[in-house]
Amino acid sequence: MASSDESRPDAATAAGFDVISDRGAAQLAAAVGPAYATWGQRVVAAILDNATLAGVTWLALGAGFAQPSLTPVFGTSAEQGWSGGPLILIPIGALAILVVLQATTGWTPGKLVVGIRVIREDSPGPAGLWTTLVRWALHLLDALFLVGYLRPLWHAKRQTFADSIAHTVVLQQLPDLPRRQGIAVYSAALVVCVLGLGYCLPLNSYRSVAPEGAVACELTGPGPFLTTGDITLDGSVSLEQERRMWTVHETLTAYPGATITWTSDPSVRDVDYRIELDARPSSADGEPVVSRSWDIGTGGAGDPSEDTSYTHTRNVSPHGDVHVTEVEVPDSDSDSDSDGDRGDLGDLGTDVWMDARLIADDEVVAECGSALDYAAVDGMR
């Protein structure tokens, strides 16, 4: 006679469920396969990690610098590239930290927040430093037409080309930690990602232009090309303030210029005038950093110039024609078809030595040279 315990069905059987042993559960999991990270999860994790690196780069170097990336692509739109002196080591160090974290744990802050992990394809452990570095370099193959980065959308193991070659996979997986430790680690990663996103987005940016300076040279001309006149070295300086989170970066950029006023004899109204301006930091000798020339022409009643970096007026009189010309070195992305080698204004600084020359039919008839500290101009702020 069966005992009452043997004849009594357990709760699972009574409820109509099949009882699966631990071994059966493992076999079922093996049959189903690992939970590979989705393409969307990988994209969000890459955005968060690269935002962290971009935020660190902006804090260390300011705007306009190329930031390192865990998912490199070809080319960069940052004008200043990888310049920046010793401070460039800060974003490089941040990239090294993320690479080491991924190599030793499989997670980065972005991957941890999303809940994905990079591991070896043939074992549950992290990829290791060498494989991680190789995988990072191989991402350049993924960057070709972005095909490799899109490959997880249709690949069975959701691998990029870099994953397949380096024998890595990305799984949906969080650290197996005690509850408090897990919350602390996840919270720290989330804070890093939020700060990275915050420092990627400018909250306030504006530009103001200073009034012209007051360094002048009186001129006494050698003949009919110029009888009297003066050259005032001026130009302008821009102050750009960019606020991100609680940090403000200020950038001063000098735009050297000059105002030249002269009187010419009515007999030389067919003379072609040209203005040349050279600029370099006051503390540096030698070749100018910025050189620029403007072909003024005869300044008659012909078609006005399309070059917006200068203006020229000529008041005709029987007793002498009065010319007023204002020139200013423009941004590097404007008036690119003008004559002269403009150079890089970013290398000039704000304490500038300028030389301005007035040339008539290839003959220098007036020149002026002096220093001007654009950062000290009244009304700058």
Side-chain angles (χ1 to χ4, degrees):
M1 180 176 180
S3 66
S4 58
D5 290 340
E6 293 176 348
S7 61
R8 185 186 304 120
D10 58 25
T13 304
F17 295 110
D18 293 329
V19 179
I20 302 177
S21 65
D22 292 341
R23 181 180 178 182
Q27 292 174 344
L28 178 62
V32 172
Y36 296 113
T38 67
W39 182 80
Q41 288 175 314
R42 297 184 64 156
V43 169
V44 173
I47 290 173
L48 294 177
D49 286 331
N50 290 327
T52 299
L53 293 172
V56 170
T57 302
W58 184 85
L59 283 171
L61 303 174
F65 289 86
Q67 71 270 4
S69 173
L70 283 176
T71 51
V73 294
F74 290 103
T76 176
S77 60
E79 297 177 358
Q80 293 169 288
W82 280 100
S83 60
L87 290 177
I88 193 64
L89 295 176
I90 295 177
I92 292 177
L95 174 63
I97 291 173
L98 294 190
V99 169
V100 171
L101 281 175
Q102 181 170 300
T104 56
T105 69
W107 288 284
T108 58
K111 291 180 176 62
L112 184 57
V113 168
V114 176
I116 61 177
R117 185 190 187 196
V118 181
I119 65 170
R120 295 180 182 274
E121 188 174 11
D122 55 356
S123 70
L129 183 58
W130 173 248
T131 301
T132 300
L133 291 174
V134 170
R135 180 178 182 268
W136 178 83
L138 288 171
H139 273 315
L140 291 175
L141 181 62
D142 294 324
L144 291 173
F145 306 107
L146 299 179
V147 174
Y149 285 132
L150 296 174
R151 188 169 179 248
L153 286 171
W154 61 80
H155 192 266
K157 295 183 178 180
R158 296 179 179 172
Q159 291 175 303
T160 63
F161 292 131
D163 285 321
S164 294
I165 298 172
H167 301 291
T168 59
V169 291
V170 184
L171 302 182
Q172 300 181 32
Q173 190 177 108
L174 286 170
D176 185 14
L177 296 172
R179 186 171 181 273
R180 289 187 178 181
Q181 291 183 2
I183 292 175
V185 170
Y186 186 88
S187 299
L190 183 61
V191 168
V192 169
C193 292
V194 170
L195 290 176
L197 289 172
Y199 277 108
C200 282
L201 303 174
L203 301 180
N204 185 29
S205 178
Y206 68 90
R207 181 186 297 267
S208 63
V209 180
E212 64 183 32
V215 178
C217 299
E218 295 293 332
L219 308 176
T220 300
F225 300 144
L226 185 148
T227 56
T228 60
D230 62 75
I231 297 179
T232 301
L233 302 177
D234 46 50
S236 63
V237 58
S238 69
L239 170 65
E240 185 174 356
Q241 290 184 325
E242 188 172 21
R243 181 185 301 274
R244 300 187 185 188
M245 301 290 281
W246 307 279
T247 308
V248 177
H249 276 311
E250 293 185 349
T251 303
L252 287 173
T253 304
Y255 297 87
T259 300
I260 304 179
T261 303
W262 75 97
T263 303
S264 63
D265 191 86
S267 63
V268 292
R269 287 176 179 166
D270 58 347
V271 171
D272 286 327
Y273 288 97
R274 187 171 82 253
I275 294 174
E276 294 180 348
L277 189 147
D278 297 332
R280 57 176 170 78
S282 295
S283 59
D285 297 327
E287 295 296 322
V289 171
V290 174
S291 296
R292 182 73 162 84
S293 67
W294 296 264
D295 287 323
I296 306 301
T298 59
D303 295 333
S305 171
E306 296 181 356
D307 188 346
T308 59
S309 64
Y310 82 89
T311 60
H312 175 235
T313 59
R314 182 174 190 167
N315 296 320
V316 178
S317 169
H319 306 291
D321 298 347
V322 179
H323 305 252
V324 179
T325 301
E326 296 182 1
V327 298
E328 183 174 287
V329 177
D331 286 319
S332 59
D333 59 351
S334 62
D335 300 309
S336 58
D337 57 344
S338 302
D339 294 333
D341 180 12
R342 212 169 9 256
D344 190 351
L345 290 174
D347 297 332
L348 189 59
T350 56
D351 190 2
V352 178
W353 179 275
M354 282 191 292
D355 291 295
R357 294 176 294 277
L358 176 64
I359 300 172
D361 280 349
D362 297 325
E363 178 185 343
V364 177
V365 296
E367 57 185 330
C368 179
S370 182
L372 182 61
D373 186 0
Y374 285 91
V377 174
D378 293 337
M380 180 62 247
R381 301 174 189 275

